[in-house]
Structures are given as C-alpha cells and as structure tokens.
Amino acid sequence: MDPIRIAVVGVGKIARDQHLPAIAGNRAFSLAATVSPHDPGVPEVPHLESLEQLLEDGPAVDAVALCTPPQVRYGLAAMALKRGIHVFLEKPPGATLAEVAALESRADKVGATLFAAWHSRFAAGVAPARAWLAERRIERVEITWREDVRVWHPGQAWIWEPGGLGVFDPGINALSIVTHILPRPFFLKTATLEIPANRAAPIAADMHFCDTGGAAIHMDLDWRQTGPQSWDIIVETDAGTLKLSNGGAVLSLPSGTEHAEDHEYPGLYARFATLIRSGRSDVDVDPLRLVADAFLRGKRATTEAFID
Ligand code: NAP
C-alpha cells in the first residue's frame, strides 16, 4: 500500500518535538512537505510559506497535520477539506465549537477523514485507567494541573489572545483524559477564572464539576507554579484510589504503580492512518465543550499583570 503523503502545517514547538519524529517513525506516512510562514522547514523536504502555496504549486499531498495555533485552524482545515485532503487537527480542534462542527460536516460531505487529536488520551496510563474505572463507583475526583508558563510557553503570544485558551491550553489535556476515563458524563457547576490585567486569557482557574451520578470533580489549574510541576488526576472509588500522574504517563492503583514508555504521538499517527484507511473520522469535542462552558459560566477575576 502506498504511504499517505502528509504535509505538516505550522512548524513550531510541537511539530518539531513530536509530529516530525512520529511521522518519520511510521511507515504508513511519508513527509511530502512542511508549511510555515517563518520557519525554514527541514532539510531535503519541500517547504512552503502557506497552505495556499502548497495546494497551488507544491507537491501532491493526501493529508495535512495542522500544528498551528488554534485561531487559524478552521481556515486551514476548510481549505484542505475542500480538496478532499484528510486533516489531523492538533488540540484544541478549533477556536470555537461551531467551527469544529462545520468542519466535521464538511469532511463527511467530501468523504475525507477529520481527526481531532487528543494526545494525552494516548499517554500510557490512560487506557488501563479507563478499563479499571469502568467497573467502579466514582466517589470524588481531584485534578491538579500546575505548571510554569515561562518554562513551557515562552514567548507564545497567541496563547494569551482570545481563542488561545491561556491556562486551558494545558488544562484541556487533563479534561481530555478525564472525559475519556470516567464512566459517566460530567458538567460544570461553578468556576473562577483569574485573568492577568494585561492579558485576554486566564492564568489560573478553579472549577467544580459534578457527574450524572452526583460525584464531585474539582480541578485546580495554575500557570504560576515554579519548582516541581503537577499533572495529576486522583479518582477515589468504592474499590480504592486511582492516581494518574505525569500527565497520564504513570498509573497507580491499589495493586501497585505502572510506568511505561511515552507513546502519545506514535499512537496518534497510528490512529490517523487507521481512520484514513477505513474512511472514518474521529471528532470528539467533549474537552473543548467543558472549556467553552468555563468561559460561559465562570466568574472572572482580574489578577496581577503577567510579563513574559
Ligand atoms: P508554536 O511553537 O507557537 O508553533 C506554532 C507555529 O504555527 C508557529 O511556529 C507558526 O510558524 C505556525 N503558524 C502560525 N500561523 C500559521 C499559518 N497560518 N500557516 C502555517 N503555519 C502557521 O506553538 P506550539 O507549541 O507548537 O503549539 C501549536 C499547537 O499545538 C497548539 O494548538 C498547542 O495547543 C498544540 N500543542 C502544543 C504542545 C506543546 O508542548 N507546545 C503540546 C501539544 C499540543 P512560523 O514560526 O513559521 O510563523
């Protein structure tokens, strides 16, 4: 079977750290081109400055991976789908829920694959956590996602703009895990978003959810954490406590702790290839919907200006 010719669009941190190595490691794909306005691309691979240029004058592609900031994702995805090109959307899949719905119906009409990728769902501990929790009664959930924005997002102006999500950019990863592992749906009850006086997006958020069985879910998101970083989910159940730490990589159950190799992006590309080969899409907006609800229902509090 011929490899899927793919272009990586938006060559920034995540494209270089994860997408390019994952594509190079998967024989179902061949890297046909890179697209980025300022980045020079990679040696011996055609590079173009815009998706328009790629589609007009560049090498033929079957698929694109959109690794840009979310604010420009819709226009790029719509342009690709118009030509029947399969689309991998980095998380979050769009800047609004309505644009993702429009993309989903466009992909359906043209018979192309649309994949809303949630990389944290492919962390090693997540699938076994989901299987273990399927049998349990959930009593309480505590999500702590505290990291240092200066370490993880230096100089990323887009992340502080409307649609950039601020602290929900990492926080949505936690929500992608929790929506996947908990057996019941859950929804927001109250939220407080702390927004720096000089920015459009939150630097911290405190959120209380409730699942349809009445279990309380608390989420503490903060970008001002220096020193040790926390990406932890604790689920108390009728059969003891489950803990996912390191963003889902390490799973602790009452029976012991399991560590495994990082497999998030190889897992995403294996899934994308399967979806393309079987003519299907996978567009789950649950994590984005909960973030949208936080902006809809949350109380805003202005906090100290943030200087990079
Ligand atoms: P980034 O380092 O700022 O890279 C984004 C790149 O997109 C920029 O370098 C820019 O390229 C390019 N770009 C902007 N507009 C474009 C357009 N219209 N056409 C083509 N390219 C365009 O951001 P990032 O950290 O890689 O994050 C990108 C996305 O991945 C975000 O949605 C983020 O949530 C997600 N993500 C990030 C991480 C992470 O650890 N950083 C992890 C998982 C997912 P030029 O430099 O050439 O202008």
Side-chain angles (χ1 to χ4, degrees), residues 9-15 17 35-39 49-51 66-70 72-73 76 90-92 119 152-153 156 158-159 169 173 265:
V9 180
V11 185
K13 181 168 171 28
I14 198 62
D17 289 357
V35 175
S36 221
H38 304 100
D39 188 279
E49 286 179 9
S50 70
L51 184 58
L66 303 183
C67 309
T68 64
V72 296
R73 199 109 71 216
L76 298 169
E90 245 302 353
K91 51 92 348 193
H119 65 88
W152 300 102
H153 300 282
Q156 286 186 338
W158 60 265
I159 220 162
D169 176 82
N173 298 334
Y265 280 79

Side-chain angles (χ1 to χ4, degrees), residues 27-307:
R27 280 191 299 197
F29 292 96
S30 68
L31 182 64
T34 52
V35 175
S36 221
H38 304 100
D39 188 279
V42 294
E44 292 167 32
V45 175
H47 180 79
L48 298 107
E49 286 179 9
S50 70
L51 184 58
E52 287 95 327
Q53 280 179 21
L54 173 73
L55 299 177
E56 277 162 26
D57 306 320
V61 297
D62 308 302
V64 290
L66 303 183
C67 309
T68 64
Q71 294 95 334
V72 296
R73 199 109 71 216
Y74 171 80
L76 298 169
M79 206 187 300
L81 289 173
K82 202 169 172 186
R83 307 210 179 196
I85 293 170
H86 309 297
V87 175
F88 177 128
L89 299 169
E90 245 302 353
K91 51 92 348 193
T96 68
L97 286 160
E99 65 185 32
V100 182
L103 291 176
E104 194 175 8
S105 74
R106 173 70 65 91
D108 199 35
K109 275 200 190 90
V110 301
T113 291
L114 183 67
F115 179 33
W118 297 108
H119 65 88
S120 294
R121 286 186 177 171
F122 288 77
V126 172
R130 176 182 162 101
W132 192 81
L133 289 171
E135 310 291 318
R136 314 285 178 237
R137 194 180 73 240
I138 310 302
E139 289 171 353
R140 203 178 70 83
V141 181
E142 184 67 38
I143 307 163
T144 309
W145 232 247
R146 289 179 154 257
E147 62 177 46
D148 186 342
V149 63
R150 291 189 171 88
V151 171
W152 300 102
H153 300 282
Q156 286 186 338
W158 60 265
I159 220 162
W160 293 104
E161 295 296 329
L165 300 189
V167 75
F168 288 101
D169 176 82
I172 203 169
N173 298 334
L175 290 171
S176 76
I177 296 176
V178 180
T179 50
H180 191 61
I181 63 174
L182 292 188
R184 295 177 197 262
F186 60 95
F187 50 89
L188 189 71
K189 302 282 286 182
T190 62
T192 303
L193 314 184
E194 287 187 60
I195 303 177
N198 60 340
R199 303 284 180 167
I203 195 165
D206 187 72
M207 313 216 281
H208 291 270
F209 302 89
C210 183
D211 81 3
T212 54
I217 300 167
H218 176 240
M219 182 167 190
D220 167 17
L221 283 179
D222 206 315
W223 248 350
R224 298 165 296 197
Q225 177 86 357
T226 54
Q229 310 281 287
S230 307
W231 299 284
D232 300 327
I233 297 163
I234 294 173
V235 186
E236 290 173 12
T237 79
D238 55 341
T241 300
L242 171 149
K243 181 173 181 185
L244 271 171
S245 42
N246 287 16
V250 180
L251 173 63
S252 302
L253 293 172
S255 55
T257 298
E258 294 170 26
H259 300 256
E261 289 293 300
D262 172 33
H263 190 70
E264 293 185 17
Y265 280 79
L268 287 176
Y269 274 93
R271 172 94 179 129
F272 190 36
T274 302
L275 290 170
I276 292 171
R277 300 286 192 219
S278 58
R280 288 178 296 138
S281 288
D282 176 356
V283 187
D284 177 8
V285 294
D286 283 357
L288 185 59
R289 183 185 293 124
L290 291 170
V291 171
D293 283 354
F295 283 96
L296 195 63
R297 184 88 163 86
K299 187 170 82 180
R300 271 105 172 133
T302 302
T303 188
E304 196 183 332
F306 176 82
I307 314 293

